[in-house]
Amino acid sequence: GAGVSQSPSNKVTEKGKDVELRCDPISGHTALYWYRQSLGQGLEFLIYFQGNSAPDKSGLPSDRFSAERTGGSVSTLTIQRTQQEDSAVYLCASSRVGETQYFGPGTRLLVL
Amino acid sequence: RKEVEQDPGPFNVPEGATVAFNCTYSNSASQSFFWYRQDCRKEPKLLMSVYSSGNEDGRFTAQLNRASQYISLLIRDSKLSDSATYLCVVTLSGGYNKLIFGAGTRLAVHP
């Protein structure tokens, strides 16, 4: 079946611009996660959605970062006023609760 | 101190070699343990879960030592296709599956 999909696969933007990253989870997966992988670093948890519960935003690095999940399915991660240190691969994962997380291919973001 | 620490490598080994990776975690409340594999410019994929009793999946053996807070992965009879970065991952108790990743250990298997 279809896996997690993310778009765009690559994004180049100028410092100070806003960007939106999209994640389509696997159908039937109620849990959705965003992670960030900076060059040479491990994956860093950003935010978690589970059903209709309030999201866990504890990993968001600053208030320039926000995320939504509409209708319990598609999620968008928005970064406002991008900075060069935001350059990274942004990975989305989904799962059934308590089960294995499946990752999407990621969005490579480069802030010039 | 990082929550999950790994030797970044790279480990350069010939085909057929046995190679072992270790990982340490700092939070004694860690509950679940995994090894993920990540190929270059690809997403991480679950390789195997790690259980206290140790577990094996073909050429791969994982061990967990809760007292010392370390996890190991042993790969026997290395194949060229095993070349990848191996990520040590833990989750904390009392919550959902928020994954905490090590930075990874790079393995290069050569002919």
Side-chain angles (χ1 to χ4, degrees):
Chain A
V4 178
S5 60
Q6 293 187 244
S7 61
S9 53
N10 292 281
K11 177 72 178 178
V12 181
T13 190
E14 293 179 349
K15 178 181 172 181
K17 295 282 178 69
D18 297 352
V19 295
E20 265 193 12
L21 314 179
R22 176 186 169 106
C23 172
D24 282 88
I26 293 171
S27 177
H29 283 189
T30 57
L32 186 148
Y33 308 78
W34 283 97
Y35 294 86
R36 174 170 77 171
Q37 187 171 31
S38 303
L39 188 63
Q41 303 295 315
L43 278 80
E44 170 192 17
F45 166 80
L46 297 178
I47 188 169
Y48 162 72
F49 294 91
Q50 169 51 41
N52 295 321
S53 302
D56 178 345
K57 304 179 181 181
S58 61
L60 295 179
S62 78
D63 59 8
R64 296 186 295 104
F65 288 71
S66 62
E68 290 186 340
R69 188 178 186 192
T70 53
S73 181
V74 171
S75 176
T76 55
L77 176 69
T78 301
I79 309 173
Q80 295 178 307
R81 305 180 303 282
T82 52
Q83 303 295 313
Q84 288 182 330
E85 62 263 28
D86 299 335
S87 296
V89 179
Y90 289 81
L91 289 151
C92 175
S94 73
S95 75
R96 300 185 192 280
V97 175
E99 296 188 8
T100 300
Q101 292 183 32
Y102 294 90
F103 285 82
T107 293
R108 296 182 176 278
L109 174 66
L110 178 60
V111 182
L112 301 176
Chain B
R1 183 184 173 187
K2 293 181 182 177
E3 291 189 82
V4 180
E5 299 214 44
Q6 298 181 247
D7 180 344
F11 284 63
N12 294 299
V13 303
E15 277 186 287
T18 295
V19 61
F21 307 137
N22 289 330
C23 156
T24 57
Y25 58 94
S26 61
N27 193 326
S28 58
S30 298
Q31 181 179 47
S32 302
F33 310 88
F34 309 93
W35 285 100
Y36 274 69
R37 171 191 169 130
Q38 187 172 26
D39 292 289
C40 188
R41 301 180 69 85
K42 297 287 189 181
E43 70 273 21
K45 293 184 179 178
L46 178 65
L47 178 65
M48 58 196 303
S49 301
V50 188
Y51 304 114
S52 295
S53 54
N55 48 298
E56 191 173 304
D57 183 0
R59 297 180 295 107
F60 298 83
T61 301
Q63 295 277 354
L64 166 65
N65 185 321
R66 284 189 182 270
S68 301
Q69 295 183 201
Y70 84 78
I71 307 155
S72 65
L73 177 68
L74 183 77
I75 306 176
R76 291 182 299 278
D77 188 23
S78 300
K79 310 292 185 191
L80 295 175
S81 57
D82 294 335
S83 298
T85 296
Y86 290 83
L87 305 170
C88 179
V89 184
V90 307
T91 67
L92 299 179
S93 62
Y96 49 85
N97 290 8
K98 170 184 163 182
L99 301 178
I100 303 170
F101 286 82
T105 297
R106 198 152 60 88
L107 171 66
V109 182
H110 57 82

